[in-house]
Amino acid sequence: MIATAFGCVALLCVIIWPFFSDYKTVVKIQSAGAAAFATYFLMLGSPTAAVACLISCAQLLVSASVRDRYVVVRLYGASLIVLSFLSVITWHGIPSALALTGSSLGSLARLQTSTTRMKGLFLVGAPFWLAHNLIVGALFALGTDVVSLLSNFGNLLKFAVRRWRESAFHDAATRAW
């Protein structure tokens, strides 16, 4: 029952943050969602995923409060080392490997300066989280996986179509001259 409440809060945070435009508000909502997922995963018996969510929360707070990109990149690198170390300590087989991989790709995604690369890396990391969440029975996290996969794939597809149209228009305009 308590795990369900934390899962609901986490999924709600994932669904509502895109509707806010203030960066600090978005980071607060995303951090609350990550913290709720950490508790949810801990209650489901997936400590590596819980640690990964707490590290994601810390990364979000670093991104919101540190303006020096050099420092941010170093702190993210340090957090990946901590994640790897804690994954060994909390290791419980394939679910740990999946959570570690998905979280590492998510960390790399958050470091991107290009939203296209960021969405692409989130898309690459999503199947690892999807497999993890299926194995541990994390139904609310599966909802997040669906939102992430559909939104990132849809946005990347929209970008590719726009680029293709611009390229086709440019080619046609060039031939006309």
Side-chain angles (χ1 to χ4, degrees), residues 95-107:
S96 290
L98 293 167
L100 172 62
T101 305
S103 185
S104 296
L105 288 165
S107 294

Side-chain angles (χ1 to χ4, degrees), residues 11-146:
L11 182 56
L12 180 65
C13 289
V14 168
I15 291 169
I16 67 167
W17 76 258
F19 294 101
F20 292 85
S21 57
D22 178 60
Y23 181 75
K24 293 213 183 254
T25 302
V26 166
V27 169
K28 287 176 188 174
I29 294 169
Q30 289 178 339
S31 296
F37 267 127
T39 306
Y40 177 64
F41 283 129
L42 198 58
M43 293 179 150
L44 292 179
S46 186
T48 306
V51 165
C53 289
L54 290 176
I55 288 174
S56 292
C57 186
Q59 289 173 341
L60 286 163
L61 296 174
V62 163
S63 294
S65 59
V66 178
R67 295 287 161 232
D68 185 341
R69 178 129 174 96
Y70 178 84
V71 173
V72 169
V73 170
R74 297 314 175 267
L75 288 171
Y76 267 60
S79 72
L80 286 173
I81 292 168
V82 170
L83 174 61
S84 298
F85 174 75
L86 292 175
S87 293
V88 170
I89 291 174
T90 62
W91 192 260
H92 59 285
I94 291 173
S96 290
L98 293 167
L100 172 62
T101 305
S103 185
S104 296
L105 288 165
S107 294
L108 292 174
R110 281 187 288 281
L111 276 176
Q112 300 306 305
T113 55
S114 159
T115 55
T116 302
R117 282 193 309 266
M118 177 179 53
K119 290 171 185 175
L121 280 167
F122 277 132
L123 199 57
V124 170
F128 293 97
W129 277 113
L130 181 69
H132 170 273
N133 296 334
L134 282 169
I135 290 170
V136 302
L139 297 179
F140 292 98
L142 286 170
T144 298
D145 296 332
V146 169

